[in-house]
Amino acid sequence: MPRMNYGRLATRGPRWLAGLGVALLLAAAVALAAIRLPAPISGVSETFDNLVRNLITASVLGALAYLWFYFWTSARTTRHLLQEAQRAPERLFPHPPEAGFADLVFGREQLVKEIAAGLRPPFAIGPQIVVGDTGAGKTTLLLALSAHLAREADVLPIVLSLRDRSNDIGEVGFTELAQRRFRELIDPHIRTEAEADKLWRWMRSRGRVVVLADDLDRSPTVGSDDPYKTHVLQAIGIARRRNLPLVLTTRSAGLPPDLEEPPIDLAQWPLESPRKAASYVLRRAGRPQGDAEGRRLVEENLRFGDLLENAFYLDPLARLLRAGALRPPPPGGKHQVRAALLDAERGRLRGDGVADQAECERRERALQRVEILAAAWLLPRSKADLDPAAMEAVRDGERFGLLSLDEQGEPQFRHEALHAYFASRAIAAGDDSWVEALRAASNVTRVHLALVLAAAHGHDAGFCRRICRELLDDSTAITADQRLHRATAAAEVAQAGAFAECDGEIAARCMESRPEAGLVVKRVALDQVEWLAGDTAVQALWAYAEDDDYEVRWRAVKKLVERCSRTAAHEGEPLRPPLGADAYQVLDPRIEAALAAARPLLDQPEAERPDDWAPAIAPLKQIAWMLPALRTSTGDAALRARIEARLRDLLELERGRVTLQRGLEASVAQGFKVDAKLNPEQPPDPHAIEMLRDRAVFWYSQLNLVHALAIRMAHDPGSGPETLTRLVAQVERREAEAKRPRPDGSANDGGLHPLLRAAADLCVEGLSAPAPDRPRRIRRRVWDDESVVVSGRPVGIAPRAAQLVGEITVLLNLNETGGFRQRQEFGEETAMPYCLQGSHDRKEFIGGCHESCRFHLCPFQPAHDRLSAHREISRAFCRDQRVHSRRAFARGWQSRVSRRALTEFWRRLEAQARF
């Protein structure tokens, strides 16, 4: 939409002047009504009419004065700021972002829209925290968000850099820092400070400002003297109470442990596909899209360096490609690739292949001075520490475009990764500044990254051993999050330096710290533990597969399956043994022990069978997720036979009702679905067919089996929609004939559960497509585990499927809060509770069960303080459902809810969500 140019900016007049003007206008209206102009006025009515006309005139003039003094001049004054933000959002940043211009930002468009929607009504969910590693693209995301807010929402982004010492949130808070920054921006266009305060209040009251704060982990407030980051939590709480639209970015080390609003993890939002990323790099390098050799080099570096998780490296890739200096990636893993790219970038700065020998040597000396400066400033220092040698290094860094002096006169590198890289070269050359930095601030991510890159450069076992010992040192009192973060950093150093001596100790530390650590830190730890060598690493993955958090369990099981399925590391990966059969051998005694402990339970009377989360049963559910995929994925025939035997033992326990509840049955069905997702081109599993057709009772088990078979049928030319339809019809007949009695003596409704029927209809719809298009259609209709879908905005699945996932998750979570008998009966019921089917408004979720409902599971409440299959529904998913859920979709599973009530239902769930 075209924007008007208002020319020179006006300034606001003082408030008393506006009041005086209105008073004078009213006095003039009364005076004109009373005096005889132009002729004598006869009668009260004419006087009254004249007074009314003059009062109307005065009111109109007063309204115009109000618009002028309180709206028009304010809009004109702030319009210039908005126009500047729309033209060049990057100018709003106190320090120039690495991406340069907003128009060059690549990827994560959907995440930007999600965050922007959460900042303003009707959602306005409060402060949002974005967490990501160094180079993951946090500042670039803020740049994209600034451009979106200014251009699409006509909102002024106030960008703060919390790394600046003057921006201490512990002293003044986010609102005051934002107001201070606003004064700096508006200062050229006003006459007094009072005007700046009035304009700030005017913008705040109209929702026209959003605060974006970068580098929370580098704020002076975040220090080792306050491991729980109390001041940060207080500042965030004050911002929430003041309804300040706020977005924070931080590395995991700066994340407060007890956040009310759990963070947005950039690791869960990859940039784009490798092909799109390669096209972006070619465009930035000025190469044609048809440059096959250039594209090959870029894609190889992207793949072997895992660069899509770290946006920082895309620009060096483009510069090296443009200069003809991009080389194939070296072996050894992602850290070797990243170090090689930064070495090549340093060689470009040095003038290799371009400048003469003398010039190269001069530049080399300058770069070495920058490296010494980078190592010395791993921890923030005062500008008083800048001696003449350091100032010469600063000038060198400025000439190379690597750093600049900030507002406090202290050197500030253009990017954290650059600072860490140049410091790593000094560290690898023998500089011991890192020891003081690590001990003074154990969670400074920049220090950790510098040590990782230094290990990648040297591959020195003694050096890696010393770093790992420092990171694993337990002498200081630190939180569980900090302890796990340090262990994760040690794992990354060991991986980068091809050093395996401390892997067992690192894995043991990761196991010890897991129970008390936060979700984000545990996810990061999982990604590092899977690369470690030794039996303890496999045991650590097994321990994470027993975690209270459902998503951590799910991710750990998938990593175990992948590790036990490999016979060698993937190309370019430094994954170390045990792998394949050797890794499974570590788990086999645990699996056999769990099966052996459960077998005697079959001899007990049914009334004494345990709960399906009892210590004897819970490991079976964990095993059930793994065994089908392990059996299919392994290439070792002997190992496959052994796993098949274990799977048959497990199926025998499940068939014999080792627990009267249906949780184990559901876990077995989930295991078949995991197998199908990991190995979609295999034929339909006969165990899954037999289980669905002959004995699966729980509707959720049946649903997972239908999904598992549909995924395989989409790739099987001998299967089609009629095959699945026939199987589902057999299940329906079996359920209709069963008529299992309820505890109250009534018979079960029989037939198919409404949610199962809706899921089966989606699968049949996908399989009805032409054969080449079936896999894509099925992917749109068959989701991953529900916990993955409801943890964020549903991406890649059809809207009807996403709404169905929401209903399934809500119903499962209702069941989780029930007692032993309630959960047992729930697993054999084929009807839905009144709240999800018969209710028009779903008020039962708040007020309690309807008198006709026999489930007695309402009101809705989270499952706390016990191991369960509870799947936390995120606020992002609830917001998506508020926008996209449809009454017509709900009719597909016989729900009678109205459209307005459906929106209100998801709004209430959003208010209860923890993240």
Side-chain angles (χ1 to χ4, degrees):
M1 186 174 69
R3 306 279 183 182
M4 295 181 64
N5 183 6
Y6 290 98
R8 184 176 178 80
L9 296 175
T11 55
R12 295 185 59 182
R15 187 182 296 272
W16 65 266
L17 183 59
L20 178 62
V22 172
L24 290 174
L25 286 170
L26 291 174
V30 174
L32 288 172
I35 63 176
R36 297 181 177 183
L37 289 175
I41 298 176
S42 62
V44 177
S45 62
E46 291 188 23
T47 303
F48 182 76
D49 291 342
N50 197 23
L51 176 61
V52 170
R53 284 194 299 272
N54 284 280
L55 285 175
I56 291 174
T57 303
S59 299
V60 171
L61 292 174
L64 291 174
Y66 173 81
L67 289 173
W68 174 261
F69 287 113
Y70 290 95
F71 180 80
W72 183 254
T73 54
S74 297
R76 294 187 68 192
T77 304
T78 55
R79 173 57 58 184
H80 182 62
L81 291 181
L82 285 168
Q83 287 178 335
E84 286 185 345
Q86 290 156 3
R87 284 194 300 268
E90 59 276 1
R91 294 182 184 175
L92 300 171
F93 284 70
H95 304 288
E98 173 69 16
F101 302 101
D103 295 334
L104 299 178
V105 172
F106 170 72
R108 295 195 176 111
E109 292 89 352
Q110 188 57 51
L111 178 57
V112 168
K113 294 177 183 177
E114 286 287 338
I115 295 174
L119 289 171
R120 309 193 68 204
F123 301 120
I125 61 175
Q128 300 183 65
I129 300 181
V130 179
V131 61
D133 290 335
T134 300
K138 299 182 296 296
T139 305
T140 303
L141 179 71
L142 290 189
L143 178 57
L145 184 59
S146 299
H148 177 84
L149 291 169
R151 294 169 180 172
E152 305 297 330
D154 206 29
V155 168
L156 177 65
I158 305 294
V159 185
L160 306 174
S161 177
L162 300 181
R163 72 180 84 165
D164 295 340
R165 296 190 184 183
S166 58
N167 290 344
D168 189 349
I169 57 175
E171 295 180 357
V172 293
F174 290 106
T175 304
E176 288 73 13
L177 289 178
Q179 188 172 2
R180 183 193 304 169
R181 178 64 177 161
F182 178 79
R183 289 195 194 108
E184 295 175 4
L185 296 172
I186 202 70
D187 185 68
H189 314 298
I190 58 173
R191 291 176 299 185
T192 66
E193 287 190 8
E195 293 177 37
D197 293 338
K198 291 172 184 176
L199 285 172
W200 168 256
R201 293 290 178 191
W202 185 83
M203 295 282 281
R204 281 277 285 124
S205 65
R206 285 159 177 77
R208 301 290 297 280
V209 293
V210 167
V211 181
L212 310 178
D214 198 14
D215 287 328
L216 174 64
D217 56 300
R218 297 179 62 187
S219 168
T221 308
V222 179
S224 57
D225 57 332
D226 182 18
Y228 294 98
K229 302 174 180 63
T230 308
H231 296 303
V232 174
L233 289 171
Q234 289 175 345
I236 293 173
I238 292 171
R240 178 179 290 106
R241 290 192 293 274
R242 293 184 178 182
N243 295 323
L244 180 71
L246 173 65
V247 179
L248 294 163
T249 69
T250 181
R251 295 157 189 83
S252 58
L255 199 64
D258 299 314
L259 281 174
E260 181 177 335
E261 178 78 23
I264 299 167
D265 188 0
L266 284 186
Q268 307 299 312
W269 292 83
L271 281 172
E272 285 288 354
S273 67
R275 184 164 186 81
K276 288 184 179 180
S279 298
Y280 169 80
V281 172
L282 288 170
R283 186 168 64 254
R284 291 293 307 275
R287 294 290 188 91
Q289 295 297 315
D291 181 0
E293 178 62 19
R295 181 176 290 275
R296 182 187 64 80
L297 283 173
V298 171
E299 289 184 351
E300 285 182 355
N301 278 277
L302 287 171
R303 184 169 72 255
F304 293 114
D306 204 5
L307 302 185
L308 289 183
E309 72 174 23
N310 205 310
F312 164 77
Y313 291 95
L314 297 184
D315 284 336
L317 267 179
R319 287 192 293 269
L320 292 171
L321 182 62
R322 187 181 187 91
L326 185 61
R327 299 290 179 262
K334 66 180 183 181
H335 296 104
Q336 299 300 321
V337 176
R338 296 175 182 185
L341 284 174
L342 293 172
D343 284 342
E345 179 74 353
R346 184 183 185 277
R348 188 183 65 81
L349 294 174
R350 187 176 179 272
D352 291 350
V354 178
D356 58 29
Q357 183 66 25
E359 176 64 13
C360 286
E361 291 176 357
R362 185 191 68 79
R363 294 188 182 187
E364 176 64 27
R365 290 192 294 272
L367 288 170
Q368 288 176 357
R369 288 192 291 269
V370 172
E371 291 164 3
I372 295 171
L373 176 72
W377 283 73
L378 278 172
L379 281 180
R381 298 179 181 274
S382 168
K383 63 181 179 181
D385 295 326
L386 287 172
D387 55 22
M391 284 304 302
E392 185 178 4
V394 169
R395 288 194 295 272
D396 292 330
E398 289 176 330
R399 283 194 291 269
F400 285 121
L402 299 173
L403 56 84
S404 59
L405 292 178
D406 62 15
E407 296 177 353
Q408 286 75 45
E410 299 167 4
Q412 179 66 57
F413 277 80
R414 197 176 74 236
H415 194 278
E416 283 282 271
L418 283 176
H419 190 162
Y421 167 72
F422 281 98
S424 74
R425 291 188 61 90
I427 292 171
D431 193 314
D432 280 345
S433 303
W434 64 271
V435 179
E436 177 192 355
L438 192 61
R439 292 174 179 174
S442 60
N443 281 349
V444 176
T445 309
R446 178 173 60 237
V447 180
H448 293 174
L449 181 57
L451 295 175
V452 168
L453 291 173
H457 275 114
H459 276 199
D460 184 321
F463 176 67
C464 292
R465 184 184 302 109
R466 184 183 177 196
I467 295 175
C468 289
R469 292 297 176 207
E470 284 286 346
L471 287 167
L472 297 174
D473 179 24
D474 222 1
S475 59
T476 56
I478 54 179
T479 66
D481 275 18
Q482 289 174 320
R483 189 176 297 107
L484 186 54
H485 183 76
R486 287 170 65 96
T488 302
E492 197 166 6
V493 167
Q495 178 189 348
F499 175 72
E501 180 182 312
C502 294
D503 281 7
E505 188 176 350
I506 294 170
R509 177 62 56 82
C510 290
M511 279 195 288
E512 293 167 8
S513 306
R514 174 194 61 81
E516 303 297 329
L519 177 60
V520 174
V521 184
K522 284 191 283 193
R523 287 175 182 169
V524 175
L526 265 178
D527 291 337
Q528 294 300 328
V529 169
E530 70 171 323
W531 300 97
L532 295 174
D535 293 355
T536 312
V538 181
Q539 293 166 4
L541 288 175
W542 178 272
Y544 275 78
E546 298 174 328
D547 193 77
D548 289 348
D549 184 86
Y550 189 90
E551 187 169 351
V552 171
R553 296 202 301 270
W554 187 257
R555 287 161 60 95
V557 165
K558 293 185 74 172
K559 291 181 184 301
L560 275 172
V561 170
E562 291 170 1
R563 182 152 192 165
C564 295
S565 303
R566 294 179 182 177
T567 56
H570 292 322
E571 187 178 3
E573 292 181 355
L575 186 68
R576 299 190 284 272
L579 299 172
D582 293 334
Y584 178 79
Q585 190 60 44
V586 179
L587 302 178
D588 193 60
R590 294 172 178 261
I591 294 174
E592 173 54 33
L595 294 172
R599 287 189 191 106
L601 299 177
L602 293 177
D603 299 328
Q604 293 182 356
E606 284 196 355
E608 299 177 11
R609 300 283 171 88
D611 186 291
D612 65 6
W613 282 109
I617 305 299
L620 299 182
K621 301 171 76 172
Q622 180 179 344
I623 294 167
W625 283 356
M626 295 173 52
L627 288 182
L630 277 175
R631 173 208 54 189
T632 307
S633 300
T634 183
D636 187 324
L639 177 60
R640 185 184 301 111
R642 186 165 21 152
I643 297 174
E644 175 70 23
R646 296 281 188 262
L647 179 58
R648 290 182 183 277
D649 290 343
L650 178 67
L651 293 174
E652 188 63 32
L653 289 170
E654 179 271 320
R655 187 182 292 109
R657 300 295 305 277
V658 69
T659 170
L660 296 183
Q661 296 170 334
R662 298 291 177 173
L664 178 58
E665 176 189 285
S667 295
V668 172
Q670 285 177 297
F672 286 121
K673 181 175 175 179
V674 172
D675 183 19
K677 295 284 284 187
L678 293 176
N679 305 284
E681 297 183 0
Q682 296 292 323
D685 193 300
H687 289 307
I689 294 174
E690 182 267 337
M691 186 176 181
L692 174 63
R693 184 186 58 218
D694 298 337
R695 71 174 193 278
V697 172
F698 188 13
W699 62 267
Y700 182 64
S701 308
Q702 297 166 350
L703 188 151
N704 278 284
L705 292 168
V706 166
H707 277 182
L709 294 172
I711 294 169
R712 295 276 177 85
M713 289 176 179
H715 295 81
D716 183 11
S719 302
E722 64 284 348
T723 310
L724 186 61
T725 301
R726 186 167 56 252
L727 270 172
V728 173
Q730 291 173 352
V731 175
E732 185 171 15
R733 284 195 300 271
R734 175 170 59 85
E735 290 294 319
E737 294 169 359
K739 294 287 185 180
R740 285 177 296 277
R742 298 192 181 102
D744 61 4
S746 63
N748 199 296
D749 293 346
L752 293 182
H753 192 280
L755 297 179
L756 168 61
R757 185 181 295 280
D761 289 344
L762 281 171
C763 292
V764 170
E765 184 181 299
L767 291 174
S768 300
D773 201 33
R774 283 181 191 169
R776 183 184 65 83
R777 293 286 187 91
I778 285 295
R779 283 195 298 271
R780 291 271 295 162
R781 289 159 176 81
V782 174
W783 51 87
D784 205 339
D785 186 77
E786 289 79 18
S787 67
V788 177
V789 180
V790 301
S791 64
R793 181 185 178 275
V795 178
I797 63 174
R800 182 154 52 113
Q803 188 170 335
L804 178 58
V805 170
E807 302 280 276
I808 291 170
T809 306
V810 167
L811 185 51
L812 292 174
N813 288 353
L814 279 174
N815 174 55
E816 284 300 313
T817 59
F820 179 95
R821 292 300 175 192
Q822 282 180 301
R823 285 183 284 127
Q824 179 184 347
E825 295 160 14
F826 181 87
E828 300 182 357
E829 185 60 70
T830 58
M832 287 217 294
Y834 180 87
C835 55
L836 283 177
Q837 191 171 50
S839 176
H840 291 274
D841 51 28
R842 296 193 173 181
K843 290 182 179 178
E844 295 77 16
F845 279 89
I846 303 298
C849 283
H850 190 268
E851 60 183 10
S852 66
C853 185
R854 58 176 171 267
F855 285 83
H856 304 295
L857 297 172
C858 285
F860 183 87
Q861 51 188 311
H864 288 314
D865 301 326
R866 65 183 176 89
L867 190 65
S868 70
H870 182 76
R871 297 153 176 83
E872 187 67 54
I873 305 176
S874 70
R875 294 175 183 173
F877 183 85
C878 294
R879 290 194 295 271
D880 181 87
Q881 291 303 292
R882 286 174 62 182
V883 175
H884 296 112
S885 58
R886 295 289 180 268
R887 175 176 176 268
F889 292 164
R891 292 299 181 269
W893 43 89
Q894 304 171 19
S895 177
R896 299 177 184 176
V897 66
S898 67
R899 176 71 179 90
R900 179 177 296 180
L902 194 58
T903 303
E904 179 64 15
F905 166 73
W906 286 110
R907 187 193 67 77
R908 288 173 176 171
L909 286 185
E910 180 185 350
Q912 293 186 35
R914 291 187 303 159
F915 64 93

